[in-house]
Amino acid sequence: MCPWETFEHTADIGLRITGRSLDELFATAGQALFALLIENPEEIRPREMVEFQLHAEDHAYLLVDWLHELLYLFDGQHLVFCEFDVRVNERRPVLSAHCRGEPVNWDVHRPGTEVKAITYHNLKLERQGDLWVAEVIVDI
Amino acid sequence: MAEGYRGPLEKVGPYQWLVPQDYKPGMRVPGLIYASEELIDQIRRDQAPEQVANVATLPGIQKASLAMPDIHWGYGFPIGGVAAMDPEEGGVISPGGVGYDINCGVRLVRTDLTVDDVKDRVRELVDLLFRRIPTGVGRTGKYSFPKKELRKLVVEGPRCLVEDYGLGIPRDIEFTEAQGRLEGAEPDFVSDRAFDRGEEQCGTLGSGNHFLEVQVCSEIHDEEAARVMGLFEGQVCIMIHSGSRGFGYQVCEDYLMKLRTVPEKYGIQLPDRQLACAPVNSPEGRQYIGAMRAAANFAWCNRQLLMQQTREVFQEFFGRPWEELGMHLVYDVAHNIAKLEQHRIDGELKTVWVHRKGATRAFPPGHPEIPEAYRAIGQPVLIPGSMGTASWVLVGQPGSMDQTFGTSCHGAGRRMSRRAAVREARGRRIDEELERIGVIARARSRRELPEEQPKAYKDVDLVVEVVHNAGLSKKVARMRPIGVIKG
């Protein structure tokens, strides 16, 4: 099973992400976001690290906040990432993350789709058997 | 793809469809959608009419939850949605009623050039525009405004660009909606993150449906209004469609986050959490309004700088100063915004917050907020078509004040998802197809042209027909694209 895929939505794109743990799911969500923003994410090198902690009202909101944070680091700090080491507390909606990447270089990184925002519409994060599954729609 | 709307839609006028107030518990007013028979079939295909009903549940809403003929599914509010809230009746302000791209809007610049002056060199002109004007994801421009300067800019709007930086002329300000400045912008209510994202993005086009288009005025429908606006058949014009970039997206995002728990605090029950809102007269509501106004002013600065860069490109390309080329602003309108306005409701003059999300203000002749030069003809309403199709210039009509809080449509409206559009375009070269119909298109991302291809949108002519016939605005000129740059 593919850890993430896109699904259709009138004007925008939905991301369906799975993981054996919340740690894995959040890391995959980060990969998915940068695969939208950058056409060739395989060219992103792990040369710098950014670390931060987040907390939210619940884990679904935490996922939105996580993607918001990455989007801000891209759009406000001009960084792109390829490695995400995320520790999500499964009991409380808090996480700590180490993200590795580099400053964006448009001679190397080909522009993908501009993501305006991560939305709350039909936001889903649930356990299905052994897997965690999330759906989040991004405004593009 | 979400399934279609199965609820009631009663035809109550030649172009009016009612969602009855008893359709859903909690509706305070009915829903009213403006559409033709042909368009209503498309409108039923997604959940947009359901969203019209959801908006009708918001506190303080007046008369009806309205939707324009280009309505399609949006976050919380539908795109094409209009709602007026009375603060005296507990009315709310909702970031979802404005949208992520605060003050996304359109600007039309005219020239003295005719199609004959450019027809053999369109490709070179478009290539130069594409090289000079930053488009697409993450691209920064030649302008950079550190926080201190940006704080001033978002309070004062483009007047500050003209007066402090010489980027434009005073006449530009006169022909911008609200003179490019919503009073009461509060930079203190805007996060540092928004300032970070905005610092290098003022004067950049962005991506998605944003564009900068070289157009030819191909049909005149109202000679007098066209003359007053300086439009004539065969004339080259430039249409710019962009908004508040990362600055505005961040403001919307910040306040959607802040408002997550606010409706509950004020006892407001919402059918959809994307409708998050706060009473206008609450600390949270006032903060969003202050930040939203700052983002709106940012957007007007952005379009001013996009216009200024276009003038520079034309100057370089034609070897003459832009003033000599007659490159003047016809008008600039917002189509994602909330504004405090006076409207007559059931015979009583009320001051209400009008949310226009994917809808354009369309004030009729004589309205004091219209620039004096246009007061006799009505406020220009600029309707961008999709890439490769026509755009329209209209003017506001008295019917808009009677029916829609002074509002008209904003564009064509999507009818195909992006993925469906890409799938549909598989094996085709959209740029070559466009070139065959006389449009030179340039985009930075390979996904952009297939996603934004003409078939992905409703027919803008059908949309304009409805607002024209319903008396909301009147056709003045049709504009045909010859070149376009995108993200």
Side-chain angles (χ1 to χ4, degrees):
Chain A
M1 188 170 181
C2 199
W4 70 275
E5 59 181 359
T6 58
F7 62 92
E8 286 194 23
H9 203 263
T10 312
D12 298 309
I13 290 182
L15 297 174
R16 188 174 294 117
I17 311 146
T18 56
R20 282 164 299 187
S21 63
L22 283 177
D23 293 357
E24 197 179 280
L25 183 141
F26 275 60
T28 302
Q31 305 278 5
L33 179 66
F34 281 93
L36 280 184
L37 294 168
I38 305 296
E39 230 178 53
N40 53 346
E42 65 282 1
E43 294 299 326
I44 303 171
R45 301 279 164 254
R47 297 190 305 183
E48 287 180 26
M49 191 182 72
V50 174
E51 56 175 300
F52 54 86
Q53 281 81 40
L54 294 173
H55 62 92
E57 296 91 328
D58 62 36
H59 282 96
Y61 281 144
L62 188 65
L63 178 62
V64 171
D65 292 354
W66 157 245
L67 291 172
H68 273 160
E69 192 70 23
L70 295 176
L71 187 58
Y72 163 72
L73 290 167
F74 169 71
D75 208 36
Q77 304 287 329
H78 314 299
L79 295 169
V80 286
F81 298 101
C82 53
E83 290 176 14
F84 306 89
D85 179 9
V86 199
R87 298 294 148 87
V88 185
N89 187 322
E90 298 212 352
R91 286 188 305 276
R92 286 186 305 127
V94 294
L95 69 76
S96 73
H98 293 78
C99 308
R100 288 179 188 80
E102 61 182 331
V104 69
N105 173 357
W106 294 119
D107 294 332
V108 176
H109 307 122
R110 285 200 307 271
T113 304
E114 184 176 60
V115 173
K116 286 183 190 164
I118 314 300
T119 80
Y120 298 92
H121 180 75
N122 286 353
L123 176 63
K124 250 183 233 157
L125 176 62
E126 59 193 23
R127 210 180 229 303
Q128 292 179 2
D130 294 341
L131 284 179
W132 283 95
V133 180
E135 283 184 8
V136 54
I137 292 170
V138 299
D139 188 12
I140 56 177
Chain B
M1 186 67 227
E3 55 187 59
Y5 171 74
R6 297 221 177 87
L9 273 176
E10 297 167 11
K11 191 167 183 183
V12 291
Y15 298 99
Q16 287 91 349
W17 303 78
L18 188 83
V19 181
Q21 196 177 333
D22 59 8
Y23 166 54
K24 231 180 163 151
M27 283 175 74
R28 297 164 196 262
V29 292
L32 191 64
I33 300 173
Y34 284 75
S36 58
E37 298 267 357
E38 201 172 349
L39 288 170
I40 204 78
D41 283 341
Q42 293 179 21
I43 290 168
R44 279 181 206 274
R45 284 181 207 162
D46 67 21
Q47 289 294 317
E50 191 72 27
Q51 295 189 312
V52 172
N54 289 344
V55 171
T57 68
L58 293 177
I61 187 165
Q62 303 293 302
K63 266 168 63 175
S65 164
L66 300 168
M68 294 294 119
D70 47 339
I71 176 183
H72 57 276
W73 189 94
Y75 298 105
F77 276 60
I79 317 278
V82 182
M85 316 306 193
D86 184 354
E88 302 297 309
E89 294 176 24
V92 292
I93 186 95
S94 172
V98 174
Y100 283 103
D101 194 0
I102 297 167
N103 189 4
C104 184
V106 186
R107 167 172 292 226
L108 183 69
V109 185
R110 66 173 193 241
T111 74
D112 289 342
L113 298 163
T114 68
V115 62
D116 290 336
D117 296 320
V118 299
K119 68 173 187 234
D120 299 328
R121 294 200 286 161
V122 179
R123 183 188 311 275
E124 291 79 0
L125 177 60
V126 172
D127 282 339
L128 190 62
L129 286 164
F130 190 58
R131 276 206 301 279
R132 294 279 189 271
I133 296 174
T135 67
V137 56
R139 267 284 288 271
T140 53
K142 67 173 180 175
Y143 307 106
S144 175
F145 299 96
K147 190 175 173 191
K148 196 173 156 220
E149 290 176 43
L150 200 50
R151 279 178 69 93
K152 186 165 185 239
L153 218 59
V154 300
V155 170
E156 295 182 13
R159 184 180 301 279
C160 174
L161 291 172
V162 172
E163 288 174 1
D164 295 4
Y165 303 86
L167 295 165
I169 54 173
R171 192 194 170 284
D172 300 340
I173 308 308
E174 193 188 335
F175 290 90
T176 303
E177 176 175 338
Q179 283 83 53
R181 178 178 192 237
L182 294 187
E183 295 267 349
E186 295 281 0
D188 288 346
F189 296 149
V190 174
S191 68
D192 283 342
R193 293 189 159 204
F195 282 104
D196 285 347
R197 288 175 76 171
E199 181 174 339
E200 293 178 57
Q201 288 189 13
C202 206
T204 67
L205 195 61
S207 74
N209 58 359
H210 295 158
F211 65 71
L212 187 149
E213 205 162 79
V214 183
Q215 305 177 334
V216 174
C217 181
S218 57
E219 291 170 18
I220 298 286
H221 290 255
D222 183 317
E223 291 285 347
E224 175 57 13
R227 188 190 62 75
V228 171
M229 285 188 235
L231 300 177
F232 58 88
E233 212 172 314
Q235 178 183 29
V236 172
C237 291
I238 300 100
M239 187 174 272
I240 296 166
H241 179 202
S242 188
S244 49
R245 315 288 298 109
F247 186 91
Y249 311 157
Q250 186 71 42
V251 166
C252 182
E253 216 171 274
D254 289 340
Y255 280 88
L256 283 177
M257 192 193 277
K258 281 185 189 166
L259 297 186
R260 278 176 194 169
T261 53
V262 166
E264 212 179 347
K265 176 177 165 189
Y266 293 100
I268 301 168
Q269 294 202 332
L270 296 177
D272 173 359
R273 57 180 156 185
Q274 285 273 156
L275 285 174
C277 57
V280 169
N281 293 324
S282 68
E284 297 89 348
R286 278 191 289 272
Q287 284 176 23
Y288 171 67
I289 288 169
M292 184 268 296
R293 284 168 163 159
N297 296 344
F298 181 97
W300 276 309
C301 290
N302 185 40
R303 291 197 289 276
Q304 175 74 19
L305 291 181
L306 286 166
M307 173 174 75
Q308 200 57 20
Q309 292 172 91
T310 307
R311 284 169 166 168
E312 288 164 8
V313 168
F314 271 63
Q315 193 162 273
E316 181 182 339
F317 190 79
F318 291 99
R320 287 162 64 195
W322 64 260
E323 293 89 341
E324 270 184 35
L325 297 169
M327 295 183 76
H328 287 294
L329 178 58
V330 175
Y331 202 61
D332 177 306
V333 277
H335 57 221
N336 273 5
I337 205 161
K339 289 173 92 177
L340 196 58
E341 292 173 359
Q342 287 203 320
H343 289 277
R344 196 163 284 286
I345 298 164
D346 299 329
E348 192 188 336
L349 199 60
K350 288 186 173 184
T351 303
V352 289
W353 273 96
V354 182
H355 295 70
R356 296 190 179 97
K357 183 188 190 180
T360 313
R361 196 185 71 173
F363 283 166
H367 197 286
E369 279 197 44
I370 303 176
E372 219 175 302
Y374 294 162
R375 210 161 286 165
I377 59 166
Q379 176 218 306
V381 176
L382 308 172
I383 310 298
S386 55
M387 182 175 64
T389 66
S391 295
W392 283 89
V393 180
L394 299 90
V395 281
Q397 289 292 284
S400 74
M401 295 310 270
D402 302 336
Q403 303 177 63
T404 55
F405 303 107
T407 309
S408 188
C409 63
H410 92 305
R414 261 195 116 79
R415 65 182 186 91
M416 226 184 242
S417 74
R418 287 172 194 271
R419 266 219 339 213
V422 170
R423 201 167 45 233
E424 205 275 339
R426 201 159 286 160
R428 289 162 51 200
R429 281 288 304 268
I430 300 296
D431 54 345
E432 288 173 6
E433 283 179 28
L434 285 168
E435 203 167 323
R436 278 199 291 278
I437 57 167
V439 187
I440 305 294
R442 295 283 179 269
R444 276 182 80 222
S445 162
R446 284 187 301 197
R447 299 172 196 158
E448 194 78 13
L449 294 182
E451 284 179 0
E452 294 292 319
Q453 58 151 319
K455 277 190 189 167
Y457 285 85
K458 291 175 192 164
D459 184 344
V460 70
D461 293 353
L462 294 178
V463 170
V464 165
E465 206 59 33
V466 172
V467 294
H468 178 86
N469 290 337
L472 305 180
S473 43
K474 181 169 73 165
K475 293 186 209 171
V476 174
R478 191 171 188 265
M479 317 296 282
R480 170 174 66 85
I482 55 173
V484 58
I485 66 169
K486 295 187 65 74

